[in-house]
Amino acid sequence: MPKIPGSSLAGVARAYTAIQSGNYPGCAGKGGEDGSAHCGRTDCAVCMAYGFAKPEASFQGLAQFSDARILFFPVPSAMGPLWVTSPSALYDAGCRPGDAEVDWLQYNTAIGDGAMGMGLDFPDTRVNLGWLYLPRVARPPELPAPAGWVMADSERSCTLGEIRCLKPVCERLAMVSDARFPVLVEDQLEVRTSVSISPETGAAAHGALFTAEAIPRSTVLFFQATYLDPLLFSVPPQRNHGGGDVGFTRAQVAGHVETGLRIVEYAGIGGANTRGMGRMRVLPLEAR
Ligand SMILES: [Zn+2]
């Protein structure tokens, strides 16, 4: 399954936090050949959140990122676009219908080789998801519609239906089994073919044809950011050890990281950034 590695998220968030806090380019990136371009100050938004590696001292950073994994994936059907998910994706993302806990994985058995309409009822006994033609599985009465589902971690929660751009996704959500989900995703990735044009001939340059796979627009991914408490660390030791001069609170670390993550929507993440790829909106930031 395609994913965005946590290291990529951390790297772009670092660069954008550095721009927003006026510490660019020194504290962005890896700090030159030996890390000496990082300031390493306990009051630096970038070096405290993302770490630094100066020759004389290093620090791992207070923000930790998981990989971003696919939660809702758009697939064409005869009914128009449907977004597909699976029990383990919902389980791992911390989705639950309202306040009740739900054992998502049990639905693998009920779904079998079929597809369960979550936000809508399939009008026929079968539904096509891409080229796959699957039997319809009725949504059990104990599962409410996705718009009321809550996505929660230890400190924060949001209701999916309250996030503006997730509304159409919730209305057209379908669940397939964990075994079927990767097949659908792999099969519906965008494949872009490109070629270089030779300036001498105006035709395709020899040997310059290439293809790339991409996650399609409107895919919903999930990731977790963990913010450690600065009070648990001492960088450098004489500064904030034992309640001394603490550069940051934990909430401020989160704020600095989210300042960077907001920019991903405009400046992008990953390759082919100048050719329509890599724009990503971090939705809980929109919900607040
Ligand atoms: Zn710095």
Side-chain angles (χ1 to χ4, degrees):
M1 290 274 275
K3 66 176 183 180
I4 303 174
S7 54
S8 300
L9 284 170
V12 293
R14 177 181 195 119
Y16 297 153
T17 299
I19 290 169
Q20 292 292 81
S21 63
N23 294 320
Y24 189 88
C27 296
K30 66 188 186 76
E33 285 303 307
D34 59 356
S36 57
H38 288 162
C39 76
R41 292 167 53 102
T42 50
D43 59 354
C44 174
V46 184
C47 291
M48 287 300 100
Y50 304 99
F52 61 89
K54 295 171 78 68
E56 62 274 21
S58 65
F59 179 56
Q60 67 157 359
L62 298 166
Q64 301 177 338
F65 296 86
S66 74
D67 295 339
R69 292 162 52 200
I70 292 172
L71 178 59
F72 304 137
F73 187 82
V75 174
S77 82
M79 301 167 57
L82 296 171
W83 277 264
V84 178
T85 188
S86 82
S88 70
L90 293 166
Y91 173 81
D92 290 346
C95 281
R96 58 183 193 227
D99 292 332
E101 291 294 333
V102 61
D103 178 11
W104 286 113
L105 303 186
Q106 67 168 318
Y107 292 109
N108 273 316
T109 312
I111 297 169
D113 285 337
M116 187 187 283
M118 306 303 290
L120 75 176
D121 288 325
F122 301 137
D124 300 316
T125 55
R126 298 181 77 86
V127 61
N128 80 297
L129 296 171
W131 59 270
L132 281 172
Y133 199 41
L134 305 176
R136 174 183 68 190
V137 179
R139 176 162 56 97
E142 76 270 12
L143 265 187
W149 291 358
V150 173
M151 192 185 243
D153 61 21
S154 57
E155 292 194 359
R156 182 181 295 180
S157 68
C158 58
T159 303
L160 298 187
E162 290 173 2
I163 298 178
R164 182 174 44 88
C165 61
L166 276 188
K167 275 187 188 157
V169 176
C170 290
E171 288 164 4
R172 305 185 64 79
L173 195 63
M175 182 151 68
V176 297
S177 71
D178 288 333
R180 191 67 83 191
F181 191 40
V183 178
L184 272 165
V185 171
E186 287 286 345
D187 196 62
Q188 302 295 334
L189 291 174
E190 262 181 42
V191 178
R192 293 197 183 187
T193 304
S194 303
V195 69
S196 282
I197 302 298
S198 162
E200 281 109 43
T201 65
H206 184 69
L209 180 70
F210 65 96
T211 57
E213 280 187 322
I215 299 171
R217 180 185 169 91
S218 85
T219 301
V220 179
L221 301 103
F222 68 98
F223 69 94
Q224 189 167 42
T226 304
Y227 304 115
L228 304 176
D229 192 332
L231 277 173
L232 300 174
F233 297 85
S234 52
V235 184
Q238 66 273 23
R239 290 295 296 273
N240 49 11
H241 185 65
D245 182 11
V246 179
F248 281 116
T249 64
R250 191 164 160 276
Q252 284 173 310
V253 174
H256 288 307
V257 169
E258 289 173 4
T259 298
L261 287 175
R262 284 177 198 278
I263 312 298
V264 179
E265 181 179 351
Y266 308 102
I269 179 170
N273 217 316
T274 56
R275 284 160 283 153
M277 309 285 247
R279 299 299 183 274
M280 184 175 76
R281 180 179 298 163
V282 183
L283 294 179
L285 305 183
E286 183 195 61
R288 277 196 283 161

